[in-house]
Amino acid sequence: MKTFHIKAATGESTLLIGETLDHLPVHVPGGTAVILTDAHVEKCCGDRFPPWPVITIGTGESVKTLDTAVDIYRRLLSLEADRSSFIVGIGGGVVCDLAGFVASTYLRGVRFGFVATTLLSQVDASVGGKNGVNLDGYKNIVGIFNQPEFVICDPALLTTLPRKEILSGLGEVVKHALIQDEPLFNYLEARFEAALRLDPTVVERMVHDSIRIKAAIVGRDERESGIRRKLNFGHTFGHAYEKVTGITHGEAVSAGMMTAVALSVKRGLLGKADALRIETLLNHLSLPTALPVDRFRIWEALRKDKKRIGDALHVVLLTGIGRSVIERVSLADLQKETEGLV
Ligand SMILES: NC(=O)c1ccc[n+]([C@@H]2O[C@H](COP(=O)([O-])OP(=O)(O)OC[C@H]3O[C@@H](n4cnc5c(N)ncnc54)[C@H](O)[C@@H]3O)[C@@H](O)[C@H]2O)c1
């Protein structure tokens, strides 16, 4: 097992890579908790849950809402959960985002941790203390920064993942490599087939390196006023693609990364050869690099980006593989510059 720590203003988080779900009670103070999970996860690994109360929600992005949070508060009340209660989210990014949000607001905050069950949540969503829900088409618009006390990344849980969810997680791994880890990119180029079949050695490296990168960035800038913006590489357009097309988060991020790559080339920051290497790797990983989208709807979605500051956005561009910069650009200029790219 490998361990990382995040020490941030809102708390400390221990990230346990290679820990097993069976050891969950060891990490929960008092040895008991309320579990929040979704219907798929309960079906796949519910028989391995400790004998604690379980709140099960529906599946998919559409359940990440305030209404679901209210349902969970009501279930917690009926379970007589009090300030000493501990909540464990066992699931993918949707369950973790909701579990962290509910735990941070129920009774003004109770303690919580996660067992991440998707590749995407192991390499990204469960790490870093962002918790929240969507509202009226605005993604993650209501939320809170608060660190989970622990995150368990059990590789055995990934064996039941549908292929599209594997691809979704791979998109975020490539993102981490592109923003600041060229060796990880080279490793993925050489082992993309093993990555696709979730070879245990490759999974361990992908989860380890992703968490190392994200934990270090979050430790320096928990509230995203500077370097943490780099983790949004591919997400400006990615969130818009996700919303407009309904594809998975990581697939949308993949297409969003290629839009940012094209913009980086257009601005003369990134060479065409590097852009081609990136496109080839994403293709090898069966990730989309271009999407047939209605440009008007993409700009409508971009205007609803919660990271918009006035009429401007921060976009993350590449100056090489493993090297990134953050640029502030007005929506109007971005629209002009990406003419023909989106
Ligand atoms: N908080 C953050 O920092 C952060 C970062 C990135 C993404 N996110 C959020 O994460 C969400 C996406 O996360 P996700 O991709 O994990 O989606 P998800 O939670 O919807 O899980 C994807 C699907 O896989 C199923 N599933 C989960 N674990 C499984 C398993 N072990 N076996 C079989 N099926 C399983 C789920 O039921 C669901 O149908 C988005 O809402 C996104 O905004 C948050």
Side-chain angles (χ1 to χ4, degrees), residues 81-285:
D82 60 26
R83 283 228 166 97
S84 67
S85 299
F86 195 100
I87 294 176
V88 180
I90 306 183
V94 167
V95 165
C96 293
D97 281 6
L98 265 165
F101 178 72
V102 166
S104 303
T105 47
Y106 181 71
L107 297 175
R108 298 199 177 88
V110 297
R111 299 169 70 180
F112 68 104
F114 298 144
V115 179
T117 65
T118 61
L119 181 60
L120 186 131
S121 60
Q122 294 196 2
V123 299
D124 190 1
S126 66
V127 182
K130 281 188 183 177
N131 314 283
V133 297
N134 308 325
L135 178 70
D136 293 347
Y138 290 84
K139 205 165 146 62
N140 303 324
I141 198 77
V142 182
I144 187 163
F145 287 99
N146 200 8
Q147 299 294 331
E149 291 190 17
F150 62 80
V151 179
I152 290 177
C153 296
D154 177 350
L157 295 174
L158 305 181
T159 54
T160 52
L161 269 188
R163 183 176 159 87
K164 76 176 165 80
E165 302 304 341
I166 297 173
L167 302 186
S168 183
L170 291 173
E172 296 285 8
V173 179
V174 175
K175 176 196 80 179
H176 289 134
L178 286 175
I179 57 171
Q180 66 176 55
D181 195 337
E182 190 180 8
L184 177 60
F185 186 90
N186 298 340
Y187 182 85
L188 293 169
E189 264 185 331
R191 292 175 184 77
F192 65 88
E193 280 164 330
L196 279 167
R197 61 169 189 273
L198 291 185
D199 172 274
T201 309
V202 179
V203 168
E204 192 192 326
R205 168 86 183 251
M206 293 192 297
V207 175
H208 176 275
D209 286 10
S210 292
I211 290 182
R212 170 178 52 75
I213 292 164
K214 187 161 181 184
I217 290 177
V218 171
R220 286 172 61 192
D221 176 27
E222 183 184 30
R223 287 189 171 264
E224 204 172 296
S225 51
I227 192 174
R228 188 168 181 168
R229 292 193 175 115
K230 287 194 174 186
L231 293 169
N232 295 327
F233 176 59
H235 283 62
T236 306
F237 286 95
H239 276 159
Y241 292 147
E242 185 179 355
K243 199 166 139 202
V244 170
T245 65
I247 58 174
T248 64
H249 182 77
E251 287 175 309
V253 166
S254 171
M257 288 193 293
M258 273 319 290
T259 307
V261 162
L263 187 54
S264 308
V265 172
K266 194 170 178 179
R267 286 195 175 189
L269 296 171
L270 183 73
K272 283 189 180 157
D274 280 343
L276 183 61
R277 275 180 74 194
I278 296 165
E279 188 175 10
T280 304
L281 176 62
L282 294 173
N283 282 333
H284 281 157
L285 292 172

Side-chain angles (χ1 to χ4, degrees), residues 18-95:
E19 178 58 300
T20 159
L21 169 58
D22 305 323
H23 290 165
L24 173 58
V26 175
H27 300 286
V28 171
T32 186
V34 176
I35 292 171
L36 179 72
T37 192
D38 76 23
H40 290 157
V41 177
E42 188 173 35
K43 202 167 157 204
C44 292
C45 61
D47 57 339
R48 290 178 57 200
F49 290 0
W52 301 338
V54 178
I55 300 174
T56 307
I57 59 172
T59 60
E61 190 67 25
S62 62
V63 305
K64 211 175 93 174
T65 62
L66 281 170
D67 286 346
T68 306
V70 170
D71 288 345
I72 301 168
Y73 295 136
R74 292 206 169 102
R75 287 293 313 281
L76 288 169
L77 285 171
S78 72
L79 289 166
E80 299 183 0
D82 60 26
R83 283 228 166 97
S84 67
S85 299
F86 195 100
I87 294 176
V88 180
I90 306 183
V94 167
V95 165

